[in-house]
Amino acid sequence: DVDPSSVIVDPRTMRPVYLNNLEKDTQYRSWSRSMQELFRPAWPGTIRRIGRNMITVVVAIDPSCGEHLRLAAAFVRIVQDN
């Protein structure tokens, strides 16, 4: 592990990194961008395909902590497997 006192993280310079960006990734280009899609009739259990980033998970990790890095790797695997 890295000595925590030697790591400086300035949150003011951080930007989100989208692992699965529904608004910009080409694989979702054919999905509707309209939120009105939520109000259209659908069969029970049908999941609407809306190409908008409606749900965002923000994970703050300590890069000096091995457990946090393993957690970040698990998130990446989950996104890549879907």
Side-chain angles (χ1 to χ4, degrees):
D1 282 339
V2 177
D3 175 18
S5 64
S6 69
V7 177
I8 297 173
V9 177
D10 184 358
R12 295 172 298 174
T13 62
M14 301 172 91
R15 301 286 183 261
V17 175
Y18 290 97
L19 299 178
N20 195 18
N21 192 338
L22 298 179
E23 294 180 13
K24 295 190 178 180
D25 291 351
T26 57
Q27 67 194 56
Y28 307 109
R29 189 177 301 160
S30 64
W31 290 18
S32 172
R33 299 282 188 246
S34 173
M35 298 300 284
Q36 293 295 322
E37 191 72 22
L38 292 170
F39 301 108
R40 293 185 56 215
W43 293 102
T46 301
I47 297 175
R48 290 287 180 194
R49 292 185 174 195
I50 302 172
R52 300 287 298 271
N53 295 323
M54 294 184 288
I55 300 172
T56 303
V57 176
V58 177
V59 179
I61 64 166
D62 178 354
S64 68
C65 177
E67 185 61 31
H68 287 194
L69 294 176
R70 285 188 288 279
L71 177 65
F75 278 120
V76 170
R77 280 193 305 274
I78 289 169
V79 169
Q80 288 175 341
D81 290 346
N82 286 336

